[in-house]
Amino acid sequence: MSGEASVISKERRITVGPEDSASRWGNPGVEVLSTPAILGHVERLCADLVQPRLAPGEMTVGVQVVMNHRAPARVGEVVVMEATVADDGSQPRFDFSVRSVDGSVLCDGEHRRAVVDADRFRARISA
């Protein structure tokens, strides 16, 4: 991955769907954005953020997350997810947040991914 010093960030708006709800993750009747769904969306956002900076044949895999889930968002609400690369070495670190459209922080944290050789990684997991 390029060692450029520039700060890069990416924002994505999503509408919380039934597939994102806590009901789908073992809390029947709790129709709010679940912690596992947030993690999935954040991982995808972070991977998409650094993808253009990777060398051919490289990919990233998630290795660590620290997440503070502070407030709920109901199914049907729009939330804004933002990630910023805070350190872009061989294990890029991202600061992220999830906010309501009025700016209230629903979740924030830090995520780390590892840059790996895609072919070697796939060979290792298929062995």
Side-chain angles (χ1 to χ4, degrees):
M1 186 167 130
S2 151
E4 296 171 27
S6 63
V7 173
I8 58 169
S9 63
K10 190 172 188 81
E11 187 176 282
R12 184 171 291 152
R13 288 176 180 258
I14 67 156
T15 300
V16 178
E19 68 281 1
D20 298 316
S21 74
S23 269
R24 297 284 170 99
W25 288 94
N27 288 317
V30 181
E31 299 301 321
V32 298
L33 181 60
S34 70
T35 302
I38 291 171
L39 179 57
H41 286 294
V42 165
E43 278 208 279
R44 180 79 265 139
L45 180 61
C46 292
D48 291 349
L49 178 58
V50 296
Q51 183 63 40
R53 299 174 68 155
L54 298 177
E58 288 182 334
M59 64 184 274
T60 63
V61 295
V63 295
Q64 184 181 40
V65 67
V66 175
M67 189 161 99
N68 306 298
H69 196 159
R70 301 180 183 283
R74 290 179 179 80
V75 168
E77 285 185 53
V78 174
V79 297
V80 181
M81 299 188 172
E82 182 177 22
T84 302
V85 174
D87 171 20
D88 69 351
S90 64
Q91 285 198 0
R93 183 177 64 83
F94 305 85
D95 293 324
F96 69 87
S97 66
V98 180
R99 298 179 318 278
S100 63
V101 291
D102 71 6
S104 301
V105 176
L106 307 174
C107 181
D108 57 9
E110 181 181 296
H111 177 47
R112 195 170 287 273
R113 301 187 67 77
V115 178
V116 299
D117 178 278
D119 290 338
R120 269 188 273 174
F121 183 80
R122 289 185 184 108
R124 195 174 103 208
I125 63 172
S126 66

